[in-house]
Amino acid sequence: MSLLQEAAGLDMDGILEILPYLSPEEKQELVQLLSLNRPELYWEDPVGFAYFRLNCYTVTPKQREAMESVRDNKFTLLRAANAVGKGFSAAMIGLWFFNHPEETKVILTAPPAGQHRQLKLVWGEVEKHIFYYDPNTQETKKRVDLLNGGFTHYLGIERTKRHFFKAYTIPTTGKPKERQAKFSGEHAPRILYIVDECDAVFSQYPEILEGIRTCMAGGRARFVGLFNPRSASGPVYEMERAGEANVIEMTAFDHPNVVKGPRGIDKNGYPIEHIPGAVTRQVTVDNISSWSVPVNLVDEDEIALAEKQGVSVPSRYFKVPEYLDGEENQAGTEVLQGGVWRKVSKPPLYHITLARYGLTNTRQLLAPEIIERAIQRKKVFDSMHEDPLAVAREMYDNKGVGGLDIADEGLDENVFTPRFGGYVSDFIDWNGVDPNVGARYGWRHSMDFGVEVVNVDGIGVGAGVASRMTELLQEHNEIAVRERREPVTIKYQKIIVSEKTTYAPVMDGVQVGQFKTVRDELLWLMALWLQRDPNAMLPDAPDLIEEGAAFEYFTVGKNVVINSTRDIRKTIGRSPDRFMSLALTFYAYRNFVIG
């Protein structure tokens, strides 16, 4: 039995498995034999549509995964490396969704900066399917069967006024409500939004995401966002962390060109790739060689510890795929070893090859992955114990310290943070700028958690809070003595974080910096704790990673300076109150050795 005859008796999954082994002529014969070009076969089958309507026989496994995700999930994110076909995927998805008899809207958009060029690039992938060159007539012809009875125009296909596939530009002028209305005003039984570089779009214009969400409340609504992971912050990153979207990670290591290597050499001596124009094995090998180094013993210990704790290995480490064993970089200076760990040495490797978030800002005080690992450790620790706080208290001899950051503006939050050694139980927050209310809440929480010391932000409206908390404790103890109960001992300290400091923290016997203010010093100590303490644990609070990633440090003369709360407000739209509260818990360690 020939392969063609065998394929004729299979279901669609079986046909797709055998398809790579058929010649181009056999593929066309199979399509005719089984009438596989009938549109109704693919209304719920994007992969079959790509193969048998678009004649794309080089769909990669990740592209197939992306298409099926859009079919099955309301929100899909394609977090991709460079040149792995995310734009080509978007074009196939858009044409599949558009080719349906029911009223359908497919809307494509991109960041305002150079958006016409970006939209043309993505729309160019759509046009590759619609237009083709006929060598017999030497003319460019149009695939009318893909237009669903519509017509083409600049950056669009239109069947009716309410059934189309169009590119929308984002207005850079006007009010946020006007931008939101442009995307929220679209309603249809079936609607698909395709947003290229969605991380940049939604970080700059969050109102557009809100507009899209309002249109996805009913009907067959879908969203697919394409992006290279450059920053572990912003709305798209939070969507990913919250599990709101199904994420397809398209790394260079998954691409057929890299996995299989060239399928031959042409007459000019150039490699013949499985998918022309996409990432290649040689480029990937060169990137690995140029932007990473072999791990050392300290790195191996860190990887082993993460695996032992059941948390993810830090993103700066990756394993070289086995199939790259023995591959040499173009310069001839290194031969890769497959199956071994390497460490990223230059940031471009994260988003160009690995399709993962990493430390892309060299001035960042807290890398997102450091915060993420601390969150994962707490989740693992909490899952192991019925009363994790009681276990942590016992581990650290009940020696807890609290930090209380007092709100000084209406939009800020008051935050009390109890910490027992490496265990941070929770960030307890409340609104309001009344220092008396803040003092009472803070005192009550310090009693509930049984900490020994509470360090209170003592500037601005918080100036009298520590003394008021002391008074409340005294009142409590007077009543306790009368009722013959044990009095409570807690020390409340007012910390002036704006004061100059002469302390210089030491790590492993080496002075690591001299700081301008107590605030700079405490934040630096907190960062060192998160980086160096293998037992550092943080609660999974909303937007925590974005807040931590907003801290940056600078050198001014001999001093290390951390960017101000005011600057952070401008960057992320709120104060990093939880981290300021946590930093206050390190005041007692200012002249201690860390490490």
Side-chain angles (χ1 to χ4, degrees):
M1 182 184 293
S2 71
L3 284 175
L4 185 59
Q5 291 172 324
E6 184 179 341
L10 298 173
D11 61 12
M12 184 60 74
D13 285 338
I15 291 171
L16 293 179
E17 283 185 18
I18 207 167
L19 201 62
Y21 302 98
L22 299 178
S23 68
E25 293 76 17
E26 287 176 323
K27 289 172 184 174
Q28 290 301 318
E29 188 177 342
L30 181 66
V31 169
Q32 297 300 321
L33 180 66
L34 300 182
S35 299
L36 294 177
N37 56 352
R38 287 179 292 142
E40 63 271 19
L41 291 177
Y42 309 109
W43 291 341
E44 295 300 324
D45 182 10
V47 178
F49 179 88
Y51 277 106
F52 301 115
R53 294 292 312 284
L54 300 180
N55 302 322
C56 292
Y57 300 117
T58 56
V59 174
T60 71
K62 284 295 179 178
Q63 288 173 332
R64 180 173 179 170
E65 200 177 323
M67 289 187 281
E68 291 173 341
S69 176
V70 174
R71 179 192 62 196
D72 300 334
N73 299 280
K74 189 175 282 286
F75 287 91
T76 297
L77 293 173
L78 306 187
R79 171 158 47 83
N82 282 15
V84 293
K86 65 180 186 295
F88 194 72
S89 302
M92 292 189 290
I93 290 166
L95 283 169
W96 163 72
F97 202 83
F98 170 76
N99 273 272
H100 194 279
E102 196 172 5
E103 188 178 285
T104 299
K105 294 181 180 180
V106 181
I107 296 168
L108 166 69
T109 194
Q115 68 177 323
H116 280 285
R117 175 182 172 276
Q118 194 65 27
L119 286 172
K120 286 176 72 174
L121 283 173
V122 180
W123 192 258
E125 300 291 348
V126 176
E127 291 185 334
K128 286 178 183 177
H129 299 294
I130 297 173
F131 297 97
Y132 69 97
Y133 178 74
D134 186 341
N136 296 321
T137 63
Q138 297 186 351
E139 293 176 342
T140 298
K141 293 187 177 180
K142 187 184 296 186
R143 288 277 308 273
V144 178
D145 60 308
L146 295 179
L147 302 183
N148 201 9
F151 61 93
T152 58
H153 54 77
Y154 180 66
L155 301 183
I157 308 170
E158 192 168 330
R159 185 185 184 198
T160 68
K161 292 295 182 184
R162 297 185 59 80
H163 192 142
F164 55 74
F165 184 176
K166 292 181 181 178
Y168 276 26
T169 56
I170 299 172
T172 55
T173 58
K175 297 179 180 179
K177 286 186 176 180
E178 294 171 350
R179 278 188 289 272
Q180 180 175 341
K182 182 166 185 177
F183 289 86
S184 63
E186 299 293 350
H187 296 277
R190 291 165 44 86
I191 189 166
L192 167 66
Y193 289 95
I194 302 173
V195 183
D196 191 29
E197 297 186 26
C198 59
D199 55 339
V201 172
F202 297 151
S203 292
Q204 189 173 2
Y205 301 112
E207 64 271 15
I208 291 176
L209 177 57
E210 294 309 309
I212 289 172
R213 282 192 169 121
T214 61
C215 286
M216 297 185 68
R220 184 73 179 273
R222 293 292 186 266
F223 166 89
V224 57
L226 292 61
F227 70 107
N228 297 107
R230 295 177 183 273
S231 176
S233 63
V236 170
Y237 181 71
E238 291 304 324
M239 282 175 67
E240 186 172 335
R241 286 202 71 247
E244 185 180 353
N246 187 47
V247 181
I248 308 299
E249 186 180 74
M250 303 175 74
T251 77
F253 294 161
D254 299 315
H255 197 276
N257 285 357
V258 181
V259 175
K260 300 176 182 178
R263 58 188 179 89
I265 301 294
D266 67 14
K267 60 182 181 180
N268 297 315
Y270 294 106
I272 302 172
E273 302 294 345
H274 295 272
I275 302 176
V279 64
T280 67
R281 175 175 282 198
Q282 188 61 61
V283 166
T284 302
V285 169
D286 290 343
N287 290 346
I288 293 172
S289 179
S290 300
W291 296 335
S292 72
V293 294
V295 295
N296 56 34
L297 292 176
V298 174
D299 298 328
E300 289 176 355
D301 288 344
E302 186 175 14
I303 293 167
L305 179 63
E307 292 176 333
K308 181 180 179 181
Q309 291 179 331
V311 300
S312 61
V313 173
S315 65
R316 62 180 172 275
Y317 301 116
F318 68 96
K319 262 188 179 178
V320 178
E322 293 281 0
Y323 59 75
L324 291 182
D325 186 57
E327 291 289 334
E328 187 177 23
N329 65 354
Q330 204 159 19
T333 57
E334 184 178 17
V335 175
L336 295 184
Q337 186 177 349
V340 301
W341 289 98
R342 289 177 71 96
K343 180 168 67 175
V344 177
S345 58
K346 294 184 180 179
L349 189 66
Y350 287 117
H351 66 269
I352 289 178
T353 301
L354 302 177
R356 65 173 66 165
Y357 300 101
L359 181 59
T360 56
N361 181 355
T362 56
R363 300 181 307 184
Q364 202 169 46
L365 184 66
L366 286 170
E369 65 164 327
I370 292 173
I371 305 170
E372 183 65 60
R373 272 188 292 145
I375 291 171
Q376 289 181 16
R377 286 193 203 102
K378 184 175 185 296
K379 287 180 178 178
V380 172
F381 184 86
D382 288 355
S383 68
M384 294 170 59
H385 304 288
E386 186 175 345
D387 188 348
L389 177 59
V391 174
R393 289 170 61 102
E394 186 178 348
M395 285 172 57
Y396 296 103
D397 299 323
N398 289 315
K399 293 181 179 179
V401 57
L404 177 57
D405 183 53
I406 298 296
D408 57 9
E409 289 190 13
L411 295 177
D412 292 352
E413 292 179 326
N414 304 275
V415 182
F416 177 81
T417 302
R419 180 174 63 83
F420 290 86
Y423 188 82
V424 178
S425 174
D426 201 359
F427 295 110
I428 303 162
D429 55 67
W430 63 94
N431 295 321
V433 292
D434 186 333
N436 290 318
V437 174
R440 183 165 291 279
Y441 273 55
W443 169 74
R444 185 68 263 171
H445 291 311
S446 69
M447 295 283 288
D448 291 343
F449 282 95
V451 296
E452 290 186 327
V453 178
V454 178
N455 298 322
V456 183
D457 172 16
I459 61 173
V461 296
V465 170
S467 57
R468 178 58 185 145
M469 292 171 75
T470 303
E471 291 171 3
L472 290 168
L473 182 64
Q474 290 171 347
E475 293 170 7
H476 169 86
N477 283 340
E478 288 171 3
I479 297 171
V481 169
R482 288 199 298 270
E483 296 178 352
R484 296 183 179 181
R485 290 185 286 110
E486 190 73 26
V488 176
T489 302
I490 302 177
K491 182 179 181 181
Y492 299 102
Q493 299 185 114
K494 179 172 75 172
I495 311 299
I496 310 299
V497 296
S498 58
E499 279 187 342
K500 292 183 178 180
T501 178
T502 57
Y503 289 108
V506 174
M507 186 174 71
D508 294 339
V510 179
Q511 182 175 315
V512 295
Q514 185 173 335
F515 303 97
K516 188 175 181 180
T517 67
V518 171
R519 175 184 179 274
D520 299 327
E521 181 186 336
L522 295 181
L523 287 168
W524 188 274
L525 281 167
M526 176 191 69
L528 287 181
W529 168 70
L530 282 167
Q531 292 166 9
R532 299 301 299 271
D533 188 342
N535 297 312
M537 292 177 266
L538 292 177
D540 189 6
D543 304 320
L544 187 67
I545 291 178
E546 184 179 30
E547 288 184 13
F551 286 104
E552 296 180 348
Y553 65 91
F554 310 87
T555 302
V556 180
K558 294 181 179 180
N559 294 326
V560 175
V561 177
I562 312 296
N563 56 335
S564 69
T565 298
R566 180 176 297 177
D567 289 340
I568 292 174
R569 271 197 207 104
K570 291 178 182 177
T571 302
I572 63 174
R574 61 185 179 280
S575 296
D577 302 309
R578 285 170 289 198
F579 277 104
M580 289 308 306
S581 172
L582 176 60
L584 285 164
T585 67
F586 289 89
Y587 186 81
Y589 301 93
R590 296 165 71 223
N591 45 359
F592 282 68
V593 173
I594 295 181

